[in-house]
Amino acid sequence: MQDEGNKTNGFLLLILANMIWGGNFVIGRIGVDYFPPVLFSLMRWIIAFILLTPFMTKQLKNDWKIIRKHLKILLLLAVTGIAGYNTIIYVALQYTTSINASVVNSTTPLFIAILAVFILREKLLAHQAAGIILSVFGIIFVISKGSFEVFLSWKINAGDLYVLAAVFMWALYSVIGKKYANVLPLLSAFYISVFLGILLLVPLSLVEYMWLQAAKPVFTLPSIGILLYVGFLASIMAFLSWNFGVHLIGAAKAGVFLNLLPVFAIIFALCFTHERLYLYQIIGGGIVILGVVLSSRKTLRLKNHSQEDTFSA
């Protein structure tokens, strides 16, 4: 019963994380009109770091020996999940729409599942693979607007390629985080990863400003609200929800939940941009949700319980 409760909590945490991140694509698309992408990412994590600091002093002192021993792993997490993924997404949002970026981002479960097989040696069960394929079909349906002719003529733009690069970063972050989930203290590891991510982003932001001649940031009431959203909800609440969720149910199973992200992104985009809701979006979103449900259901394999959902580090 306790395992079932843990799985349910894990599912809810993953849904919450993707709801916030779905909004982050829309907010991020608006935010790049106020801030250059690297500076936007830097300010996001500075806000998150400041908000976390009062709660982390005592715990960090207790966990410091473990943290110091695994600084290289934490640096890798900072490169992939903190500095890499978010900055690349904000760069991508300069060239593509929030809905399109969130849709392309839904290839993430494929990357996570593949990396989990090679790095964690997790077993990808048949119904999980079927759920992933079904979810991806739903994404393709949305991209093509339900038209086979549109799909055949569809070309990936520069923004979508940036999103694919970000997807690979996030898949690495998720799988590495799962591999060391039982070694690293979750909150302290996240806090130090944020700090290391800030150290990485500071020189990159200077390069962006001095050599790439990025536009100056614009501070208004809406832009400050955007910073608070990405700094608290998208950076702290969503990241912690995702990490706890992955810890409870595993990287391969958790990955398919990212297919919910474009569904939330489309909903939020419709609310904030006043776009029309089309039938193909409803059908495609329904297919995505069906794939998530299929992938997360209990296995029907007639095997010993101890043989299920195992992996070797």
Side-chain angles (χ1 to χ4, degrees):
M1 292 296 293
Q2 185 176 1
D3 289 341
E4 291 299 321
N6 286 338
K7 287 184 179 180
T8 300
N9 291 334
F11 295 154
L12 292 175
L13 287 170
L14 294 172
I15 291 171
L16 174 62
N18 283 283
M19 183 183 298
I20 296 172
W21 281 327
N24 184 54
F25 273 87
V26 179
I27 294 295
R29 179 64 185 86
I30 300 171
V32 294
D33 292 333
Y34 293 97
F35 310 105
V38 180
L39 179 62
F40 191 17
S41 185
L42 173 61
M43 289 189 294
R44 165 184 179 165
W45 291 115
I46 288 176
I47 292 172
F49 184 77
I50 292 172
L51 292 175
L52 285 170
T53 297
F55 305 98
M56 293 303 305
T57 305
K58 184 177 180 180
Q59 183 159 348
L60 186 61
K61 186 182 295 184
N62 295 333
D63 298 334
W64 182 245
K65 289 184 179 179
I66 300 175
I67 293 296
R68 185 173 59 182
K69 184 179 179 181
H70 296 90
L71 278 177
K72 291 182 179 179
I73 298 301
L74 292 171
L75 180 60
L76 187 56
L77 292 174
V79 170
T80 54
I82 305 300
Y85 173 78
N86 296 278
T87 305
I88 297 173
I89 285 293
Y90 291 146
V91 171
L93 288 172
Q94 294 182 115
Y95 304 101
T96 189
T97 64
S98 57
I99 292 179
N100 208 49
S102 65
V103 166
V104 176
N105 189 77
S106 296
T107 58
T108 303
L110 298 177
F111 285 86
I112 290 179
I114 293 170
L115 290 177
V117 169
F118 287 101
I119 297 176
L120 304 181
R121 299 182 184 177
E122 288 192 357
K123 295 178 180 179
L124 186 64
L125 305 181
H127 69 280
Q128 293 173 341
I132 291 173
I133 293 171
L134 188 60
S135 294
V136 171
F137 176 75
I139 297 305
I140 293 174
F141 194 88
V142 173
I143 291 175
S144 63
K145 299 181 180 180
S147 169
F148 186 68
E149 290 77 12
V150 172
F151 173 70
L152 289 179
S153 63
W154 182 63
K155 295 181 181 180
I156 298 179
N157 61 33
D160 296 329
L161 291 177
Y162 283 128
V163 176
L164 285 174
V167 162
F168 181 74
M169 287 284 196
W170 182 254
L172 275 176
Y173 173 84
S174 300
V175 175
I176 294 169
K178 173 60 179 177
K179 183 174 182 178
Y180 289 91
N182 295 322
V183 178
L184 292 170
L186 181 59
L187 293 177
S188 295
F190 176 67
Y191 181 70
I192 294 299
S193 296
V194 170
F195 176 72
L196 293 174
I198 291 172
L199 295 182
L200 293 169
L201 288 170
V202 167
L204 291 177
S205 183
L206 291 175
V207 170
E208 178 185 54
Y209 179 76
M210 297 177 65
W211 280 279
L212 300 181
Q213 298 181 341
K216 293 183 179 180
V218 178
F219 292 97
T220 62
L221 191 59
S223 68
I224 292 173
I226 288 171
L227 288 176
L228 291 176
Y229 181 97
V230 299
F232 175 64
L233 291 179
S235 299
I236 297 177
M237 289 296 295
F239 261 70
L240 292 181
S241 296
W242 173 261
N243 277 281
F244 279 118
V246 169
H247 179 68
L248 288 173
I249 73 171
K253 288 183 179 179
V256 74
F257 276 78
L258 287 169
N259 282 319
L260 285 174
L261 192 154
V263 177
F264 289 120
I266 289 171
I267 293 172
F268 294 139
L270 292 172
C271 291
F272 288 103
T273 64
H274 305 289
E275 296 180 7
R276 292 178 58 188
L277 180 62
Y278 296 98
L279 181 61
Y280 70 84
Q281 294 172 329
I282 298 174
I283 295 174
I287 295 173
V288 170
I289 293 174
L290 181 61
V292 171
V293 172
L294 175 62
S295 182
S296 62
R297 64 181 296 196
K298 292 180 65 176
T299 177
L300 300 177
R301 292 188 311 163
L302 298 178
K303 286 191 176 184
N304 214 326
H305 179 72
S306 62
Q307 291 178 303
E308 296 176 1
D309 300 327
T310 58
F311 66 90
S312 129

